Amino acid sequence: MTTVLLDVDTGIDDALAIFTAALSNEIDLVGCTIVWGNIDVAQGARNTSEVLQLAGHGDVPIAVGAAGPRNGEVAVFSPQVHGDDGLGGCADTAHVPTLQSETAVEMMLRLSHEHAGSLEIVAVGPLTNLADALDADPTLPQRIRQVTIMGGAALAPGNVSETAEANIWHDPEAAQVVFDAEWELTMVGLDVTMTSLITDAHRARLAAGGAVGRFSSAILDFYLAYYEQYTGERASGNHDALALAVATGLVRTTLSPIVDVHVDCSDGEARGRTVTTLEGAWGEWPEREGARHRVVMEVEPGFEERMVDLLAAAD
């Protein structure tokens, strides 16, 4: 069983990741930290709490973190992708979350001591909380088994600009701090998440399931409608749940070279781009001596089917 701290900006794909982490008997979800991104942190905390309660795991502690990027600019959200409430218009407006008094950084540091050497941090939003935790305690990497992020694009095009993926673009300076830290880091970016599709057929199967499945189907209706303009069908990348699956072994990677990654923090058009040292023919990239960034390019097929089965079967 893998001990996981999920750092989320709970929109629709985050919700699927939270459901998967809470319901899998191979994952011990010990906490959720909330960062701005898809939605503001207050709504993100409410969404996270609602999703955990639906999954029967309302006891998982939740701590609120950064409300905007490190450079102090105004936070930008994604209502066009996730809806004004982050859950495709399906959030329970009456839900009152139970939150920890500690901050996201305090929770990260505490759990890093309580689970020293075994804690996996899976970050599926902007990396502001992780960067802030590194500021607070530079020794944090010594106690973390691995960090896995959903973010970036190595060879694939971006989704907020020609080259930048949203989570990195939201806070490039934070991302660079996280990539620079002395820990093993796995990047699950658009190169692979856009090949792991959740389809309308999956949504229909979820709709025929239990309470978790029906809720997942409802929020996906909004998400798939948005993605149709990019995929040509009612299908979306399974971004955040795939990153969780890679981190916890729910899916096996079949191509994931270890290279160096640098984040473009300029004010130009390339801001937020993840620049990697991938080179040579497709699938023949040599690992760089001293490199520690594992960039996932391919995974085995079938995770989406297993995830849908898991969520549909939940009451």
Side-chain angles (χ1 to χ4, degrees):
M1 181 175 289
T2 306
T3 304
V4 170
L5 169 65
L6 264 178
D7 188 59
V8 291
D9 57 337
T10 300
I12 293 166
D13 54 335
D14 305 73
L16 299 180
I18 294 167
F19 278 141
T20 302
L23 295 169
S24 173
N25 58 15
E26 298 180 41
I27 296 173
D28 180 17
L29 181 61
V30 294
C32 288
T33 49
I34 314 301
V35 69
W36 70 288
N38 292 327
I39 201 73
D40 66 82
V41 285
Q43 185 66 46
R46 288 193 292 273
N47 291 351
T48 303
S49 176
E50 181 180 354
V51 168
L52 285 168
Q53 286 201 7
L54 280 168
H57 288 265
D59 58 339
V60 173
I62 301 167
V64 176
R70 283 168 75 84
N71 64 7
E73 295 291 330
V74 175
V76 177
F77 309 117
S78 303
Q80 74 280 10
V81 183
H82 299 272
D84 290 337
D85 62 357
L87 292 175
C90 299
D92 180 2
T93 57
H95 180 77
V96 178
T98 300
L99 306 176
Q100 299 297 299
S101 58
E102 63 185 344
T103 66
V105 167
E106 289 168 343
M107 177 181 281
M108 283 184 180
L109 297 182
R110 174 175 61 80
L111 291 175
S112 76
H113 285 282
E114 292 179 5
H115 303 279
S118 64
L119 185 66
E120 292 266 351
I121 296 179
V122 182
V124 296
L127 296 176
T128 320
N129 283 345
L130 266 69
D132 288 350
L134 288 164
D135 286 346
D137 184 354
T139 70
L140 174 63
Q142 300 171 18
R143 299 185 299 277
I144 301 301
R145 180 170 177 245
Q146 182 179 239
V147 170
T148 300
I149 69 165
M150 189 282 119
L155 303 181
N159 60 0
V160 290
S161 72
E162 289 187 5
T163 58
E165 180 276 330
N167 286 337
I168 305 299
W169 176 85
H170 273 306
D171 198 342
E173 286 79 12
Q176 188 62 65
V177 170
V178 172
F179 277 105
D180 283 346
E182 295 286 334
W183 49 24
E184 298 296 321
L185 186 147
T186 297
M187 182 178 109
V188 182
L190 297 178
D191 302 89
V192 67
T193 65
M194 286 303 294
T195 69
S196 174
L197 295 181
I198 296 294
T199 67
D200 213 29
H202 289 133
R203 188 194 62 77
R205 281 169 50 194
L206 289 164
V212 168
R214 293 192 299 272
F215 183 81
S216 299
S217 174
I219 63 177
L220 277 168
D221 193 42
F222 187 97
Y223 202 54
L224 300 188
Y226 171 80
Y227 265 94
E228 188 171 5
Q229 62 187 305
Y230 300 108
T231 59
E233 59 179 319
R234 282 176 55 84
S236 69
N238 191 21
H239 304 294
D240 294 353
L242 186 66
L244 172 75
V246 168
T248 57
L250 295 181
V251 68
R252 185 173 63 90
T253 63
T254 53
L255 182 61
S256 53
I258 299 175
V259 296
D260 290 314
V261 180
H262 171 77
V263 181
D264 191 318
C265 295
S266 70
D267 292 328
E269 293 181 358
R271 179 172 173 79
R273 178 189 176 197
T274 44
V275 182
T276 71
T277 53
L278 294 174
E279 61 183 23
W282 178 266
E284 297 179 2
W285 301 302
E287 293 188 0
R288 297 296 187 102
E289 183 177 355
R292 60 182 183 278
H293 303 139
R294 179 177 173 229
V295 177
V296 179
M297 301 298 289
E298 293 177 3
V299 297
E300 65 180 357
F303 168 66
E304 302 78 27
E305 301 296 323
R306 298 192 297 273
M307 185 191 80
V308 168
D309 288 343
L310 178 69
L311 272 56
D315 294 332

